[in-house]
Amino acid sequence: PNTSIVLQDLPSSSGVYLSIEVLVRILSNIPQVTTVKLESLPTVSRLSALRTSLKLLDVEYSVLTGLGALYSGFDLLVQSPSASTPSDSGRVGSDGFMTGFAFPEVLLAMNRYAQMKEYGKVRQLYEKYLPLIVLEQQPVEGLAIRKELYRQRGLIESSHVRHPGKKLSITLKRVVQEQLELSFPSDQVDIKDGIHESLL
């Protein structure tokens, strides 16, 4: 009874659509649910609506997003629907991420800047690393791409993907290498040493 529960809202996998009203009802009636992992599209609209509804409840909840961080820059910067004009004071975005990415330092930095209300830096990081995020989220070879990035970071020795996973094609491997060099120029950073926060 004291175990906290994360409610994952991922209709593309579960086949179940949860309305905002249903999510709020679950949170209201099951106190063990303390976090919502919101992965239903469009995340921006859903985040805004959920935050607005949660204000009516006298309990603090964490709202995280995932989906490979594809929409991370938008998720962190969601505006309150009550704001008459776009402003940094009306941000009601996610509390962070629960997702996979070969460079979690980037997501950590984005979240840190959002918590510090340095929203311009959030946008800069998102725009800089979005090509790498998108590339890693390939539906068929995404796992192979991530393992190759882990290998190049020195975290694993082999990027081999077991059957039935698809191996990384030579062409896509070259694309990965090109994008890696664009995102992390080798004359500026050694990805095996980790990405120092001064570079983020």
Side-chain angles (χ1 to χ4, degrees), residues 94-114:
S94 71
D95 294 306
F97 313 110
M98 184 186 292
T99 194
F101 180 46
F103 296 91
E105 303 99 318
V106 173
L107 302 184
L108 182 63
M110 287 177 62
N111 190 55
R112 182 175 68 248
Y113 285 133

Side-chain angles (χ1 to χ4, degrees), residues 112-129:
R112 182 175 68 248
Y113 285 133
Q115 299 302 318
M116 295 167 59
K117 302 187 184 305
E118 295 188 31
Y119 301 116
K121 291 185 177 180
V122 174
R123 293 189 186 92
Q124 289 175 3
L125 283 178
Y126 183 58
E127 292 171 4
K128 180 177 181 180
Y129 295 108

